[in-house]
């Protein structure tokens, strides 16, 4: 029960929590987030992952705790300070400092998008190697290798005429994604996991962090923003490339493929959590991405 780990954390950390101010559980991990106050009066957040959520959720919670204890101090972007942590048979709890406030993607300024691009580029350029225990989850590569064809076809079959070509070429697409150099990624990068304070951006929720593809973080911001009617500003890509260099055409191709593949091969089961307007926006976005892909990839038509 989540109440067990919450009670343990409250006693261990010496905090009070506002039970009327709990945020919705994270959609991926199921972890709950509660406003709290330490005995010194500092504002904090208590994040709890009860054992009842299962092995995968606990693995993510332990990965996040390991990130805060082993890597947060050296990662070249800002993260919430870790006040305390607890790991028992009842689950995992972390107590994090309040680090800023969220803004919907449509309210982000070009300055904030530029900072996002610079921060991600700096993290992706971190020297390695990390040991193989930091190999990140690769849900997109898994979805391309073994697609849920019926679910994908039911969702995209009518609105995406090019779907048969994408399904037939899925292993080719997978190989192109997998060929990217390995970098350290956030793994669940979207505007709800980034808060703003007077000094800039602070990156939260590191349960999916690990070694992955450079295109994955920035593309996923778009995936999460599209249903709400927002898009990542070009300022983010410009700032990313200014920081790390490389070919703009090659990076934009990688972003295009990443976003398109996520929407086609992973997104359909999440349609149920979105409004009719959000789904319509996704349809429009994927048709646009598909046309772009066929335009820049000779021989696909």
């Amino acid at each position: 029960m989540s109440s067990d780990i919450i009670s343990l954390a409250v006693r261990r950390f010496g905090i009070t929590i506002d039970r009327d101010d709990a945020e919705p559980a994270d959609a991926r991990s199921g972890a709950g987030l509660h406003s709290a106050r330490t005995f010194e009066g500092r504002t904090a957040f208590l994040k709890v992952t009860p054992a009842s959520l299962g092995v995968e959720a606990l693995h993510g919670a332990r990965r996040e705790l390991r990130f805060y204890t082993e890597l947060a101090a050296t990662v070249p972007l800002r993260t919430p300070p870790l006040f305390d942590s607890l790991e028992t048979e009842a689950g995992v709890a972390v107590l994090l400092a309040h680090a800023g406030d969220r803004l919907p993607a449509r309210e982000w300024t070009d300055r904030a998008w530029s900072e996002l691009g610079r921060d991600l580029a700096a993290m992706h350029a971190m020297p390695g190697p990390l040991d193989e225990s930091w190999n990140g989850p690769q849900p997109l590569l898994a979805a391309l290798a073994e697609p849920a064809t019926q679910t994908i076809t039911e969702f995209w079959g009518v609105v995406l005429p090019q779907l048969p070509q994408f399904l037939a070429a899925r292993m080719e697409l997978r190989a192109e994604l997998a060929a990217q150099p390995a970098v350290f990624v956030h793994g669940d990068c979207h505007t709800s996991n980034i808060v703003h304070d007077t000094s800039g951006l602070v990156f939260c929720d590191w349960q999916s962090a690990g070694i992955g593809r450079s295109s994955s973080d920035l593309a996923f911001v778009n995936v999460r923003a599209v249903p709400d009617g927002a898009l990542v500003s070009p300022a983010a890509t410009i700032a990313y490339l200014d920081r790390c260099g490389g070919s703009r055409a090659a990076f934009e191709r990688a972003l295009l493929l990443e976003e398109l593949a996520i929407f086609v091969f992973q997104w359909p089961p999440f349609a149920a959590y979105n409004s009719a307007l959000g789904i319509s926006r996704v349809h429009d976005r994927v048709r646009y991405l598909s046309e772009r892909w066929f335009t820049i990839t000779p021989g696909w038509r």
Side-chain angles (χ1 to χ4, degrees), residues 31 34 40 57 75-76 94 126 134 146 172 191 193 199 203 261 267 278 287-288 291 298:
H34 304 264
E40 300 102 336
V75 170
V94 293
M126 284 172 55
W134 280 108
E146 297 183 8
E172 179 184 338
T191 56
N193 280 341
S199 297
F203 291 72
W267 202 82
R287 282 191 288 258
Y288 166 75
E291 287 300 320

Side-chain angles (χ1 to χ4, degrees), residues 6 10 14-24 32-38 42-48 95:
I6 292 173
V10 166
I15 59 174
T16 57
I17 63 172
D18 184 351
R19 294 184 182 272
D20 294 326
D21 195 27
E23 297 194 17
L33 195 63
H34 304 264
S35 295
R37 190 168 295 276
T38 70
R42 293 182 291 181
T43 304
F45 284 105
L46 174 66
K47 185 173 184 178
V48 293
L95 185 67

Side-chain angles (χ1 to χ4, degrees), residues 71-244:
L71 295 181
T74 59
V75 170
L77 46 71
R78 300 169 66 219
T79 65
L82 176 68
F83 284 158
D84 212 336
S85 63
L86 175 66
E87 184 176 355
T88 74
E89 292 183 357
V92 178
V94 293
L95 185 67
L96 301 164
H98 174 78
D101 299 304
R102 295 181 179 131
L103 282 178
R106 59 184 174 273
E107 296 181 17
W108 279 47
T109 63
D110 276 352
R111 180 177 178 179
W113 288 120
S114 294
E115 184 173 355
L116 173 66
R118 288 193 300 270
D119 283 350
L120 290 177
M123 181 175 65
H124 294 169
M126 284 172 55
L130 296 170
D131 69 71
E132 63 181 16
S133 66
W134 280 108
N135 287 343
Q138 299 288 348
L140 178 55
L141 298 186
L144 284 161
E146 297 183 8
T149 305
Q150 182 176 341
T151 301
I152 292 168
T153 302
E154 288 173 353
F155 184 78
W156 286 116
V158 175
V159 297
L160 186 61
Q162 302 92 340
L163 179 62
Q165 288 158 280
F166 289 123
L167 287 169
R170 60 187 176 80
M171 296 308 291
E172 179 184 338
L173 301 176
R174 186 182 188 277
E176 181 169 339
L177 287 167
Q180 292 185 46
V183 299
F184 188 81
V185 300
H186 181 280
D188 192 17
C189 190
H190 55 85
T191 56
S192 292
N193 280 341
I194 304 169
V195 298
H196 304 243
D197 69 6
T198 55
S199 297
L201 306 181
V202 183
F203 291 72
C204 309
D205 199 345
W206 293 87
Q207 294 199 357
S208 299
I211 299 169
R213 300 176 301 282
S214 58
S215 61
S216 63
D217 279 335
L218 202 52
F220 194 64
V221 182
N222 246 0
V223 169
R224 289 293 299 264
V226 165
D228 293 327
L231 288 173
V232 175
S233 166
T237 300
I238 293 169
Y240 185 97
L241 293 170
D242 283 347
R243 171 64 176 77
C244 70

